[in-house]
Amino acid sequence: MSVDTTSTGTAPGRVGVLGGGRMGAGIAHAFLLAGSSVSVVERDDASADAASQRVGDSLRRSVERDPALDATELHGRLSTGTDIAAFERCDLVIEAVPEDRELKEQALARAEAAMPTHATLASNTSSISIDDLAANRLRPARFLGLHFFNPVPASALVEIVRGTATDSDVVARAGGWVAALGKTPIVVSDSPGFASSRLGVVLGLEAIRMLEEGVASAADIDAAMTLGYRHPMGPLRTTDIVGLDVRLGIAEELERAFGERFAPPALLRRMVAEGKLGRKSGEGFYTWNEER
C-alpha cells in the first residue's frame, strides 16, 4: 500500500508521547507546530522537567525563525508529567522510549491501557518487528510503526511501518498525519530494520569497520560518500548524530534477525562501553562542542 505524498493532511487533535528524550521531544515539537495538543509522559518528575525543557527550547528556536508563531499559544497546547492518564483523550499515542524490546513492551502496555479504544497506538522503533510488538497488543489493528528520524524538526521523512494486522484505514490516516507535519511518509511492510535502518546500518557498520582497519580517517570516509555519492552527510557523522548506543542496539537486533552481516564491529562496542556515544555525549567519531 502507498499513501498520497502530495496531500497536506490534518494533524490529530490530541497526541500523546510516551518518552520525552531527544526523539520524543522532537516528535512533540512537530505535532505542536502542526496544531495538535500534545501530552508528554515521562517516568519521573525530573525526566518530565527535562522533557519540558527540551520541547521548550525547540519551540523557542522555531519562534525565532518564524515570528508569526505564537510562543504562548504553542506552550499552551503542551503538557508534560508522569501520569499516564494524560492519554485518556488522545487520538494518537506514540511510544518513544529507548530501543530496547522489553522497555518498549512495557511502555506500549502502559499506553494502551490508558488510551481510548478509538485511538491509534504507534511505536517509534527503528528496528524491532512491529508484528512482534503487536502480538501483545489489545487492538493490533490500530497499532503500527511511525519511525521518525533524528533530528525530528529538520528531518523530511517518516517511515510508516504496517504490521500484518494493521488496518488499511489506520495506515492511510497516519499518512495524512505525517503530511500535516510537512514531512513525507513512506509505507513499508514489517521487517526487522524496515527500509531505512536496514540500509543505513549496513553503510554505517562498514564505515566503522573501514575506520577500525585503518583504511582511511573518519573525515575521509565520510567525504567519500558526501562528495563521491552526494550523500548529504557521511555514515560516521550520521552515526554520531543518531547515537553510537542507538546504532549498536539496532545492529544487535538486525544481527539476531539476519545473521553475521550485521554483527557490530569491536570498535563500536568499545566506544559505547567508554561512553563515546556521539553528539549527545560530546565525543564519538568526531568531537562535538555545541550545545547538546
Side-chain angles (χ1 to χ4, degrees):
M1 175 184 178
S2 60
V3 294
D4 181 4
T5 58
T6 64
S7 171
T8 55
T10 302
R14 294 180 178 273
V15 177
V17 180
L18 185 53
R22 183 183 292 273
M23 291 302 299
I27 292 168
H29 169 270
F31 278 102
L32 286 165
L33 290 187
S36 303
S37 295
V38 179
S39 298
V40 180
V41 173
E42 263 289 1
R43 62 185 181 275
D44 53 43
D45 289 338
S47 298
D49 289 344
S52 180
Q53 183 68 43
R54 286 188 196 97
V55 180
D57 288 346
S58 186
L59 290 175
R60 174 180 50 78
R61 290 190 289 270
S62 290
V63 171
E64 289 172 353
R65 289 191 295 268
D66 183 1
L69 293 172
D70 185 331
T72 301
E73 192 272 337
L74 286 168
H75 282 278
R77 288 190 277 106
L78 170 68
S79 66
T80 58
T82 60
D83 189 355
I84 201 74
F87 295 160
E88 287 179 348
R89 298 170 61 197
C90 287
D91 304 298
L92 168 67
V93 174
I94 302 172
E95 166 274 306
V97 303
E99 193 73 357
D100 176 273
R101 185 182 293 265
E102 183 176 348
L103 190 61
K104 286 188 178 294
E105 285 282 7
Q106 294 171 355
L108 290 167
R110 287 184 65 216
E112 195 171 38
M115 58 195 281
T117 57
H118 79 272
T120 297
L121 177 63
S123 174
N124 185 51
T125 180
S126 53
S127 63
I128 301 171
S129 166
I130 292 300
D131 281 347
D132 286 355
L133 294 175
N136 295 318
R137 303 284 64 80
L138 298 174
R139 295 175 288 276
R142 293 188 172 275
F143 176 64
L144 77 170
L146 284 180
H147 178 204
F148 289 80
F149 292 78
N150 186 23
V152 176
S155 177
L157 177 69
V158 177
E159 198 170 31
I160 299 174
V161 187
R162 178 178 186 169
T164 303
T166 308
D167 189 89
S168 295
D169 289 343
V170 172
V171 176
R173 195 174 304 122
W177 293 336
V178 172
L181 302 180
K183 303 182 186 299
T184 298
I186 62 170
V187 178
V188 300
S189 298
D190 183 47
S191 177
F194 318 130
S196 59
S197 292
R198 189 166 166 181
L199 289 169
V201 168
V202 166
L203 183 59
L205 294 181
E206 191 60 29
I208 296 169
R209 292 188 190 99
M210 290 169 64
L211 183 65
E212 191 174 47
E213 294 165 6
V215 173
S217 68
D220 285 347
I221 291 169
D222 278 354
M225 301 311 297
T226 58
L227 302 179
Y229 288 84
R230 298 187 180 182
H231 287 201
M233 189 181 301
L236 296 174
R237 186 171 291 273
T238 298
T239 298
D240 268 9
I241 291 174
V242 169
L244 276 71
D245 53 336
V246 174
R247 181 134 285 181
L248 175 59
I250 296 171
E252 290 174 335
E253 186 71 28
L254 293 177
E255 183 185 19
R256 282 190 286 271
F258 298 116
E260 188 176 351
R261 72 182 189 269
F262 285 99
L267 175 60
L268 177 59
R269 293 190 182 280
R270 184 167 69 250
M271 291 179 71
V272 170
E274 292 172 353
K276 297 176 181 178
L277 307 181
R279 182 172 66 177
K280 62 187 170 185
S281 70
E283 184 179 2
F285 297 109
Y286 296 88
T287 299
W288 299 82
N289 296 315
E290 81 271 22
E291 180 182 350
R292 299 190 291 278

